[in-house]
Structure formats: C-alpha cells, structure tokens
Amino acid sequence: MSRRGLAVGLALAVLTAVISLNGCGARGRPPPLTNSRVQVLAVWSGVEESRFRQVLDSFTRGTGASVEYVSSGHEDLAAVLAARRRAGRLPDVVIFPQPELLRQYARESVLVPIDDLVGEQVAHSYASVWRQLGSLNGRLYGLWFKAADKSLVWYDVAAFERAAVVPPVDLPGLLRVTQRLRSTGRLGFAVAGGDPWTFTDLFENLDLRLAGGQRYDLLVQHRIRWTDPSVVSALSMFVRLLRPDAEFLQRSAVDWRRTTFETSVDGVFGTHPVAAMVAEGDFVAATVTGTTRARLGVDADVFPFPSVDRSSESAQAVMGGGDAVALVHPTPAARALVRFLATPAAAEIWAAYGGFLSPNVNVDVSVYPDDLTRSFARALLDAGNDFHFDLSDQQPAAFGASEETGMQAVLGRVVRDGDVPRAAAELEADATEAFR
C-alpha cells in the first residue's frame, strides 16, 4: 500500500473509532464536542511533538473538539506539574513517562480512574504487565500509549567487520567482542557520562539478565537489598564493560563525564568514531539518521541485549520505558480523547512515521515504516509479560532520577573508581533513605 493509501485508510479508521468511542447521542448521533477544548501536557517536543500533534489533529477532525498541547520541553515534568498544581492550572490530560510519578498523583487523588473508559480495551489489547504499571490499588489510572525497547545494542558494522567479530548472543560473548574491538584500536562502548541515565539503562539490562525478571522486580520494590549478590554481579559486569573505555578516554584527555547521549552516538557512527557500540533504546535510530551519515541496517545495525546464555529465562525479556495517558479533569472531550488514544488507529498514525512503538497488540506491525522498527515492535510484543519497565523510573525521584544522589551518581562514580562493594553499599543507603 502506498503512503497516501495508508494515510487514507488510517483517517477512515480514526474517524470510525472516534465516532464509536464517543457513543451515540440523540437519534444515533455522536455527542457534540465542537465547542469543547482539551489541554494535554506531555514531555514530547521537536519531532515527537510534531508527530503527536498529527494524532491530536485526527481526533479533532473526528470529534470537532480542539486540543491544546503543552510540552514540558527540557524541564522536568514533575516540576512543571507541581508548579501548575500550586497555581491551580492542571491540564485535563497528562502523559506520564514514569510509573512512580503516575502513581504519586493517583495516590494524591489528582487523577481520575479510567477503568470505565478503557479498562476493557486494556484487558484485551495489552499484556497484563501494562495494566499493572498503570494501576494503583486495583484501579487503572494510566493508558500506555507509547513504549520504548531499551534492550538493544547498536554497533558500527564496519568496525565489527575489521575486528572479525559478529553480534554476540550471550554476555560472555559480549565481553569477548568488546576485548577484541579494543585490540583493534576501537573502544567497545561509547561512554555518555554527561547523561548518566544511560548508565542506569545499561545496569538495568545487566541486572535483568543476570538476576532474572523476578529478582529485578523485587529490586524495583526494594524488597531485596542493593548489596544482594545478584546486584553485585550486575555492578561487576557493568564495570568490566565500561570502565576500560572510560579510563582510555581519560588518558586521551577526553572528558567522558561531559559526553551527552547524542555525542556518544556520534562517537560510534559519526565522522570520527572512537567506539564501536552504544547500548541504548530504539530511539537511537532517530539520532543516527538525524546527526550522522550512517545508514540504518547498512552502516549502523543493532542486536538484542545478550542474555547470560541462550537458554536463560531472561533471553526474551525486554527492559524499556513508556508514556501513559492519565485523566485529571473528566470532561466529555477529555474522556473521549483518552478513549481515542486506546484505539489501534490512534497509535498507527504515529507508528507510520517511525520513532514510536505501541504496546497495543492490535496495532498492525506492517504500519511501521521499516524492517528495523518492525523488529523492535515484534520484540516488544513477543516479550509480553517479560517486559520490565525501566527500574530507575519506578524509584522515588531522589534515588532514580537525580544526578546528585542515587543510581545516576553512584553508577558514574563506580565507572571512575571500580569499587563495586562501595557502590553497592552507597546504593543501598541511598535507596533506604529515598524509600523512607
């Protein structure tokens, strides 16, 4: 099907979905929303904002309700929400990137449960883990519209060919590949110390593989200590993978502590590459195509984050993130928008452009624009309940989101000093304080 044909098909599907979700008023007509207005707050800006606006425009065309989109931009969503709450200017709909922040506002009765709006769709169209992530005390507050697969390792194809290595299938193989690459003069991993959230993502993938999903989830809840042997094993592997590259950069007078995520990607696929791999999510593709000349699937390729071995119970597990739609003011237009965003038609509008994955199993995978993105979408859906949300995003902010304390700070220090026992003890102390 051509892009034009796809767009027409999506538009018809969207219109049908909107009419049906709004229900029927007198004489079978949908309730009038022409003079209604909905305000939506989310973190998306730039290209992501542009794509989401197209989703919202389709909603407006189908219902007549206008939508005002507000982006938190580079500001922390939690801070923006807190300021708006103090000023009495909360939006009608908030899209949360962190389950813990969603639950915080649900606990404080700021959010309205959405079981009656989308509970049935979520039960039939999402793996149960997604309902759990959007729920508090058995009530549904968050609809996961967008997801991310962070269990990926991107690599420079030419660097792998020169080193005569292939993508590894297990963690011992990943260590061997990294060592072989270093012997040819390329660092194994790009180190983005300026964005230490990348450290948390790498650690979380290692912990999920080495400890397994059950212990990973217990660590999320702080029901096992950060000094547990499974955590220490993940920290030790983290140091073995990153510290040699950080030390080399330091000797080369390159301050890896100031390297941003975008710069780290450029350090693998840019004009002057220094490393061969970057361990991050499906969103790396947008940075590769936007800031480098590398061609996806030709110069830049990707493999699933390796497991302990091929038979490991975590071999199909995916660690990732997402964005959940939540309702603050249950006006007819806001309720209609939440229901619309639960439909496959809404997700397929953004999916057709790329840079987007949906956890909704009814979204047509063929809509995604290329083979690479389709493979990410299938991996996300195939994981089912073996999807595990980003650990740091489920922690109290002082422990999971701060660059000064907690996970980001400690993982940055252990890359520098390699002192795993000290790192484990500091993480346990910080977590205990944050959960208190």
Side-chain angles (χ1 to χ4, degrees), residues 58 90 160 223 240 246 268 272 283 302 353 357 388 400 405:
S58 292
L90 282 171
F160 269 50
R223 291 175 60 189
R240 291 178 71 185
V268 177
H272 303 289
F283 44 82
V302 64
Y353 290 95
L357 298 178
H388 298 267
T405 60

Side-chain angles (χ1 to χ4, degrees), residues 309-372:
D309 55 60
R310 296 187 188 188
S311 63
S312 169
E313 66 176 34
S314 62
Q316 300 300 318
V318 168
M319 188 282 290
D323 300 272
V325 179
L327 184 62
V328 177
H329 300 132
T331 65
R335 287 168 58 88
L337 177 60
V338 172
R339 295 188 66 180
F340 169 61
L341 294 176
T343 65
E348 287 168 3
I349 296 170
W350 192 340
Y353 290 95
F356 174 94
L357 298 178
S358 172
N360 188 326
V361 300
N362 293 317
V363 169
D364 186 353
V365 176
S366 68
V367 169
Y368 292 100
D370 53 71
D371 289 341
L372 205 57

